[in-house]
Amino acid sequence: TGMTDNSMNTSELEPSKEDMAQHGRPPKPRNLYKVRNPSSDSLVSMMPPEDIGQLMSENLELKKMVDSLTNFDDPDKLSTKERRIIKQTFNAIAGPEGGLMVRELKLLNDRLGANFKDCDSERIMSEMGLGLDELITVESFISWYADPANDLVKKNKASQRFLLERGFSVSGEEFQLHKVRAHDINVRGTFEYRVSFSYNHKPISPWHDIPLYPYGAPEDEVHFICEIPKYTRAKFEIATDEHLNRIKQDVAHGVLREYKHGDMFFNYGALPQTWEDPAHFSEETQAKGDNDPLDALELGLVPMQTGEVKRVRVLGVLALIDSGETDWKIITLRVDDILADRIHTLDELECVFPGAVSSIREWLRVYKVCTGKAENGFGLSLIHI
């Protein structure tokens, strides 16, 4: 017969001699995850008062640590660490003179990831109360830079600051994907790192020169440009305001950005020759576009490379609302993926990968929470293609 609870061998619950020798007393159970309210939690009420006090003190220290990270990596706010980085970056460019000339602002802009251009110099100096021939001090610059109302610094993508510049042009009928090549420029993990593109050995813009639709392909297929490979988190993106729109790692306040929420479980990128118009108000989301190319998520089994271009099948779309802007997310699958013959719709995707769509929604909903921002929202229901 089986042993009942009353017949359990209680000697198994006694502390070992090793535990007694190490601790001087039986070790007490600790469970930080179940402690919520000392006045009502039965687990806490069974603990000695000194342990309750120690536990609450540890939780308070943990809360302070989390709160200190609240604004870190938020591109619209400055943390203490980021202020220090900005000061160090400024001083490195300024040199022994201790100040910058207006012509050196562009170099500082490239290091900090701000949005101002050479044509903004006069406005910047005026806002600092300086003449065009005066030196900019680090104190005056940080005071101007940290102003929450400063739209030249804030990551305001609706400013329409992008570069419509094409490289070698080829018609859609003649375009052959195997002739597209991605090339690394400089060292990965540095501010200067870029991924450039060529077609038949001639430079092109991945955004403007790669056609959206593959010639002769089914109408549900498009070209996909991978920016962030699966299982990585460095925030690479098409540089919409740079020469030939090369891919770079995003910078905010002198820091190369990555997703603090964790690695992506899909290949993330963009669709060429698309754009979310910041002047267009979408009835479906009740918000305007975010001034970027359309984002796409590729759900194949194999991680892609930054700059890799593939034909993908469109399965559906999510209407993400991010910081009050419409940010459509196109759900796709590579046509050469091992499972491509089995997945043509979202319903078939759910049959092969149960819970995939809900996991994507959850990731997109909460990925900014760890930086102190609110959860993202969604418009519409999931649209099946």
Side-chain angles (χ1 to χ4, degrees):
T1 60
M3 182 180 291
T4 64
D5 290 342
N6 292 334
S7 62
M8 183 180 294
N9 183 0
T10 57
S11 64
E12 295 177 358
L13 304 178
E14 295 295 327
S16 65
K17 292 182 179 180
E18 291 78 6
D19 284 338
M20 291 293 291
Q22 180 178 355
H23 301 286
R25 58 178 174 80
K28 295 183 175 66
R30 305 294 296 276
N31 194 330
L32 291 175
Y33 299 99
K34 293 183 179 179
V35 176
R36 295 183 180 88
N37 188 345
S39 63
S40 61
D41 195 297
S42 59
L43 177 64
V44 174
S45 64
M46 296 171 60
M47 297 175 65
E50 63 271 16
D51 278 7
I52 295 177
Q54 180 182 352
L55 192 56
M56 298 305 293
S57 177
E58 291 174 355
N59 285 345
L60 181 61
E61 290 301 316
L62 180 61
K63 183 178 184 302
K64 289 180 179 179
M65 182 185 72
V66 172
D67 289 344
S68 70
L69 297 174
T70 296
N71 293 331
F72 184 72
D73 201 47
D74 183 342
D76 294 337
K77 296 180 181 179
L78 280 181
S79 67
T80 302
K81 178 180 179 180
E82 288 169 332
R83 285 177 179 267
R84 186 168 62 250
I85 292 173
I86 291 171
K87 187 173 183 178
Q88 292 172 346
T89 305
F90 183 99
N91 290 334
I93 297 174
E97 296 83 3
L100 291 182
M101 297 296 294
V102 65
R103 64 176 179 274
E104 296 173 306
L105 280 175
K106 182 64 172 67
L107 179 57
L108 185 59
N109 164 63
D110 293 342
R111 290 292 185 272
L112 298 181
N115 285 335
F116 51 84
K117 309 283 185 187
D118 289 337
C119 60
D120 298 316
S121 298
E122 186 172 346
R123 172 186 165 185
I124 293 171
M125 298 301 282
S126 175
E127 291 179 354
M128 290 186 194
L130 300 173
L132 290 176
D133 56 347
E134 293 186 70
L135 282 179
I136 306 168
T137 65
V138 64
E139 291 79 12
S140 61
F141 179 79
I142 292 180
S143 176
W144 171 83
Y145 188 91
D147 185 350
N150 191 336
D151 61 343
L152 290 180
V153 172
K154 188 176 181 181
K155 286 286 185 179
N156 182 6
K157 292 184 290 186
S159 62
Q160 301 192 28
R161 289 167 174 261
F162 57 81
L163 188 59
L164 182 58
E165 180 183 22
R166 304 194 63 168
F168 176 72
S169 180
V170 59
S171 69
E173 296 184 13
E174 298 174 348
F175 186 86
Q176 300 177 44
L177 185 57
H178 70 274
K179 294 184 177 181
V180 175
R181 291 287 185 269
H183 314 272
D184 287 352
I185 299 176
N186 295 316
V187 180
R188 193 181 183 94
T190 64
F191 294 100
E192 295 79 16
Y193 177 74
R194 298 291 185 272
V195 178
S196 66
F197 291 79
S198 66
Y199 181 86
N200 202 19
H201 309 294
K202 298 178 181 179
I204 63 170
S205 160
W207 186 18
H208 304 306
D209 294 320
I210 296 175
L212 173 60
Y213 297 104
Y215 180 71
E219 62 180 9
D220 62 347
E221 293 184 12
V222 295
H223 285 130
F224 168 78
I225 305 168
C226 180
E227 296 168 317
I228 307 172
K230 188 176 185 177
Y231 308 137
T232 68
R233 66 181 68 181
K235 192 178 185 302
F236 286 100
E237 62 184 15
I238 291 175
T240 58
D241 60 347
E242 287 191 6
H243 173 66
L244 290 177
N245 310 122
R246 296 161 176 163
I247 292 177
K248 69 173 184 179
Q249 187 170 355
D250 190 26
V251 179
H253 314 313
V255 180
L256 291 169
R257 296 186 64 204
E258 60 181 31
Y259 287 101
K260 300 302 179 184
H261 184 67
D263 294 347
M264 293 191 168
F265 60 93
F266 39 75
N267 294 304
Y268 188 88
L271 302 186
Q273 298 195 19
T274 63
W275 176 55
E276 297 195 46
D277 187 352
H280 174 70
F281 183 82
S282 172
E283 294 294 337
E284 293 84 0
T285 62
Q286 295 295 297
K288 295 183 178 181
D290 71 349
N291 200 40
D292 272 340
L294 276 175
D295 296 323
L297 289 61
E298 195 281 319
L299 305 184
L301 296 180
V302 179
M304 297 176 64
Q305 299 295 317
T306 299
E308 190 173 357
V309 184
K310 287 289 184 179
R311 281 172 53 183
V312 297
R313 179 179 299 132
V314 176
L315 306 178
V317 61
L318 287 167
L320 183 71
I321 302 174
D322 185 349
S323 302
E325 297 175 331
T326 301
D327 194 5
W328 298 98
K329 303 295 183 184
I330 314 300
I331 301 174
T332 70
L333 179 72
R334 285 171 53 169
V335 298
D336 62 354
D337 189 81
I338 192 173
L339 297 174
D341 290 339
R342 298 176 57 188
I343 301 175
H344 298 79
T345 66
L346 285 180
D347 290 334
E348 291 177 349
L349 175 68
E350 282 295 301
C351 288
V352 178
F353 296 119
V357 176
S358 60
S359 297
I360 292 171
R361 284 179 63 98
E362 182 65 10
W363 198 98
L364 293 172
R365 184 177 67 84
V366 302
Y367 78 94
K368 287 188 175 181
V369 171
C370 60
T371 68
K373 288 195 170 184
E375 294 180 355
N376 290 324
F378 292 92
L380 299 174
S381 300
L382 184 67
I383 300 176
H384 295 245
I385 302 299

